[in-house]
Amino acid sequence: MIDVALLGIIRRWHLRDQVPLREIAKRLGISRNTVRRYLRSEATEPAYAERQSASAIDPYAFQLSGWLKTEAAKSRKQRRSLKQLHEDLSELGFKGSYDRVAAFARQWREGQTEWGNSARKRT
């Protein structure tokens, strides 16, 4: 991603130092068309669409969030660990790593605390 400082470098090299577009592209390791587009634009900060890519855990997200909700209601000693949940998902055909399950659980917990905090504010 090109940041504002890099955009300033491109403009300085081209306008003040008279460096050709091809040379700027080669120095920065980006496309000539990208260099040309940013020189023509009046933008001071480039904007990119957020990348949306499917995760390996997406087909199992509903199942895993249900399990996490069930486990959250249990006492700490009775809960299954994330490793056990990962093994259970693997038996269902999940090919992803434990890290994906742990990241999903972390994100799910953050969402639960945010939802709980917003519910308290409403009452």
Side-chain angles (χ1 to χ4, degrees):
M1 184 168 147
I2 297 178
D3 61 328
V4 179
L6 192 55
L7 192 56
I9 291 170
I10 291 171
R11 287 185 174 153
R12 184 178 63 240
W13 281 349
H14 184 69
L15 300 173
R16 190 184 72 189
D17 300 341
Q18 301 298 312
V19 177
L21 294 179
R22 182 176 291 197
E23 180 62 27
I24 294 172
K26 186 191 289 186
R27 287 181 188 178
L28 298 176
I30 57 177
S31 167
R32 278 193 333 248
N33 289 336
T34 303
V35 173
R36 185 177 293 117
R37 184 173 68 239
Y38 283 115
L39 285 172
R40 287 181 182 165
S41 75
E42 295 297 322
T44 57
E45 185 173 343
Y48 295 97
E50 190 171 322
R51 185 174 170 206
Q52 298 290 332
S53 58
S55 175
I57 205 162
D58 286 347
Y60 304 96
F62 184 73
Q63 178 73 42
L64 184 55
S65 61
W67 286 347
L68 289 169
K69 188 174 184 177
T70 303
E71 297 300 317
K74 294 180 181 178
S75 69
R76 189 179 61 83
K77 292 280 188 179
Q78 294 176 338
R79 291 182 192 161
R80 291 185 289 176
S81 69
L82 286 177
K83 286 184 181 182
Q84 291 168 327
L85 292 177
H86 175 256
E87 289 174 10
D88 293 345
L89 277 179
S90 297
E91 290 173 7
L92 294 176
F94 177 64
K95 303 269 190 259
S97 67
Y98 165 78
D99 291 335
R100 282 288 93 221
V101 175
F104 181 88
R106 198 175 316 112
Q107 201 171 30
W108 182 84
R109 283 188 198 110
E110 288 173 5
Q112 293 301 307
T113 57
E114 288 175 14
W115 185 81
N117 291 341
S118 67
R120 284 188 203 109
K121 289 177 187 174
R122 285 182 288 205
T123 54

